[in-house]
Amino acid sequence: CCVFFLHHVMSSDAGLLLTYKQSSVYVSDYDTLSNGKWLNDTIIGFGYDVIAHKNCDSAPPNSLLFVHPTTVNVIKFENDVEDLIPLIKDSGIPSHDYIFLPINNSSSMFSVSGSHWALLIYQRHNNTFYYLD
């Protein structure tokens, strides 16, 4: 279904391929799926949107939170506590039990430009972090 949809949209539009939840995928993003290329934040975010939609709808309320890569990147670099606290609260982090955070080695808040991705999972009821690399 999704592969057909991507192919159909790609043949009719040279720029934007699709928009789903928080993600707008462009041809340049889709190209990162080719052999030898690095996945970018848009592709990671699109995957997150799909996983969150499929899993969070059937999970108990406030159990799972998939934080979008762009939000994680801002949290990572934000130095102003007055800006950081509302961002964390508004993202839902304080109210969820399992929090999935895609992280990378980006060195800039203004572009998620890293080349290595990992997954950080926080399990609130055990106060435990898991780092998957």
Side-chain angles (χ1 to χ4, degrees), residues 1-11:
C1 172
C2 290
V3 174
F4 171 77
F5 178 72
L6 274 174
H7 178 71
H8 175 71
V9 173
M10 286 178 58
S11 63

Side-chain angles (χ1 to χ4, degrees), residues 1-26:
C1 172
C2 290
V3 174
F4 171 77
F5 178 72
L6 274 174
H7 178 71
H8 175 71
V9 173
M10 286 178 58
S11 63
S12 64
D13 188 341
L16 180 65
L17 296 178
L18 65 92
T19 298
Y20 182 77
K21 304 290 182 184
Q22 296 182 52
S23 299
S24 294
V25 179
Y26 291 85

Side-chain angles (χ1 to χ4, degrees), residues 113-133:
S113 56
S115 59
H116 183 86
W117 288 91
L119 181 62
L120 184 64
I121 303 170
Y122 177 64
Q123 186 180 23
R124 182 174 312 287
H125 67 270
N126 288 339
N127 195 28
T128 304
F129 283 94
Y130 301 93
Y131 179 77
L132 306 169
D133 189 2

Side-chain angles (χ1 to χ4, degrees), residues 12 18 30-32 40-43 49 52 75 79 82 88-90 97 101 110 112 124 126 130 133:
S12 64
L18 65 92
Y30 182 78
D31 289 343
T32 68
N40 67 11
D41 60 311
T42 300
I43 295 298
D49 287 343
I75 290 170
N79 292 321
E82 289 182 15
I88 290 172
K89 285 181 180 178
D90 292 346
D97 192 35
L101 304 143
F110 302 105
V112 185
R124 182 174 312 287
N126 288 339
Y130 301 93
D133 189 2

Side-chain angles (χ1 to χ4, degrees), residues 93-120:
I93 290 172
S95 62
H96 287 79
D97 192 35
Y98 291 92
I99 302 158
F100 297 81
L101 304 143
I103 55 175
N104 74 7
N105 60 348
S106 174
S107 58
S108 170
M109 181 190 327
F110 302 105
S111 70
V112 185
S113 56
S115 59
H116 183 86
W117 288 91
L119 181 62
L120 184 64

Side-chain angles (χ1 to χ4, degrees), residues 23-108:
S23 299
S24 294
V25 179
Y26 291 85
V27 171
S28 59
D29 302 313
Y30 182 78
D31 289 343
T32 68
L33 296 172
S34 300
N35 286 336
K37 301 272 184 149
W38 298 106
L39 297 178
N40 67 11
D41 60 311
T42 300
I43 295 298
I44 300 287
F46 174 72
Y48 252 51
D49 287 343
V50 171
I51 291 169
H53 177 71
K54 287 185 165 274
N55 293 303
C56 291
D57 289 349
S58 61
N62 295 332
S63 60
L64 304 175
L65 177 65
F66 294 84
V67 183
H68 208 268
T70 51
T71 303
V72 173
N73 203 52
V74 172
I75 290 170
K76 177 179 160 183
F77 288 105
E78 182 57 65
N79 292 321
D80 186 347
V81 174
E82 289 182 15
D83 290 336
L84 187 59
I85 290 172
L87 176 63
I88 290 172
K89 285 181 180 178
D90 292 346
S91 70
I93 290 172
S95 62
H96 287 79
D97 192 35
Y98 291 92
I99 302 158
F100 297 81
L101 304 143
I103 55 175
N104 74 7
N105 60 348
S106 174
S107 58
S108 170

